Amino acid sequence: MELRVIGLNFLYAILGVVLMFVSYRLIDILTPSVDFQAELKNGNVAVAIFIAALFLAIAIIIGGALN
């Protein structure tokens, strides 16, 4: 296995995590009336599903861009 391939995989993984964080923060900024952290602590399942769907969508987009 080439060291270059391993390095690129780590780079893509870091890029994916950064893009997921940025997208979460962007949605948090665009919806100021919803406090996601407080809703999650209160056990709001709808907010948890929304955030999971957001992360899955970003992962699919990143995965498609890498191919």
Side-chain angles (χ1 to χ4, degrees):
M1 196 180 300
E2 291 184 32
L3 192 58
R4 180 178 167 267
V5 173
I6 295 172
L8 282 175
N9 283 333
F10 278 115
L11 179 67
Y12 292 146
I14 291 169
L15 178 66
V17 170
V18 168
L19 286 175
M20 284 186 188
F21 177 76
V22 168
S23 64
Y24 173 75
R25 294 304 298 166
L26 182 65
I27 293 295
D28 195 29
I29 291 169
L30 291 175
T31 55
S33 62
V34 179
D35 186 8
F36 289 114
Q37 290 85 9
E39 292 296 329
L40 287 173
K41 287 180 184 175
N42 290 336
N44 191 336
V45 177
V47 171
I49 291 172
F50 174 76
I51 293 172
L54 175 71
F55 287 165
L56 284 173
I58 296 299
I60 290 170
I61 292 169
I62 293 170
L66 295 178
N67 287 334

